[in-house]
Amino acid sequence: MSDTNNTIISKNFLEICVQIEERCTALYDFYSDIYEDIPDASFLWNKTARANENHQKQFELALRLLSETEFEVSKASLSRAYTIQTNLIQFMEYIKNNKPGILTAVSKAVELEEILAELHVQSSLNFKDKSMHNLFKAMSKTDYDPVAALRLYWTILYLPECEIN
């Protein structure tokens, strides 16, 4: 693959990742608003939204530094990012008209965050520059914090209510 073609693919990939993170932030802010009557849920959604904002900024940084570092993206990774973006757009349109139950919202968020974590891990492996590689590797490690928090909350929601005598 030519350097120009690789640069175009890498740029497109990073731009799509920025847009995905921006949409995820909007999704979680939306959830924070619609579940504001459940303080724990609203807090969790807000925290997850801020984590996605941070990821968006990291992808924006990588985009700005693209001309200064070697970064390779396979066509398959670019295609995967497009698919995630398309599915996310469709999902967001659906939930705007069909408020999901809290359990559904949390389980779908877990699925989404796991997919994004995988995408971040794939992208971190393609930086030739060690500092950029380490940045994205660190980002992929932080992806598991929202997943763990969402999974824990999902488990708590499934626990039966205890009766106190």
Side-chain angles (χ1 to χ4, degrees):
M1 184 178 336
S2 74
D3 286 343
T4 303
N5 195 26
N6 183 53
T7 301
I8 291 169
I9 290 171
S10 298
K11 182 177 185 277
N12 288 343
F13 176 81
L14 292 171
E15 288 171 342
I16 292 166
C17 288
V18 166
Q19 292 168 11
I20 289 170
E21 296 297 341
E22 186 175 43
R23 284 186 170 89
C24 287
T25 298
L27 172 66
Y28 298 139
D29 283 336
F30 174 73
Y31 281 167
S32 182
D33 290 343
I34 65 172
Y35 296 110
E36 68 184 350
D37 58 328
I38 308 171
D40 290 344
S42 185
F43 176 79
L44 180 61
W45 294 126
N46 188 43
K47 182 179 174 183
T48 306
R50 302 300 67 85
N52 283 90
E53 272 182 347
N54 186 44
H55 296 157
Q56 177 185 340
K57 289 175 184 172
Q58 290 171 322
F59 279 115
E60 288 169 344
L61 174 63
L63 194 54
R64 285 192 303 273
L65 297 175
L66 186 60
S67 64
E68 299 171 27
T69 186
E70 291 183 51
F71 176 66
E72 294 178 6
V73 176
S74 68
K75 288 182 181 180
S77 291
L78 178 61
S79 177
R80 178 77 174 131
Y82 273 124
T83 300
I84 293 167
Q85 180 186 40
T86 300
N87 291 342
L88 183 57
I89 291 168
Q90 291 172 351
F91 178 70
M92 289 178 71
E93 285 300 315
Y94 178 80
I95 64 155
K96 284 181 184 177
N97 300 315
N98 304 283
K99 178 184 170 183
I102 188 72
L103 285 171
T104 300
V106 173
S107 67
K108 290 296 182 187
V110 168
E111 288 177 36
L112 177 59
E113 289 299 315
E114 287 175 340
I115 289 168
L116 294 180
E118 179 186 328
L119 187 66
H120 295 167
V121 167
Q122 288 175 351
S123 64
S124 73
L125 301 177
N126 296 320
F127 277 102
K128 305 297 182 205
D129 180 82
K130 189 166 181 69
S131 62
M132 290 300 287
H133 175 80
N134 290 339
L135 171 71
F136 273 75
K137 194 169 186 172
M139 184 172 76
S140 70
K141 286 181 182 177
T142 64
D143 284 334
Y144 292 97
D145 293 337
V147 171
L150 288 163
R151 280 189 182 172
L152 176 61
Y153 190 68
W154 183 75
T155 300
I156 290 168
L157 290 172
Y158 265 110
L159 290 176
E161 290 187 31
C162 297
E163 226 179 86
I164 300 175
N165 292 326

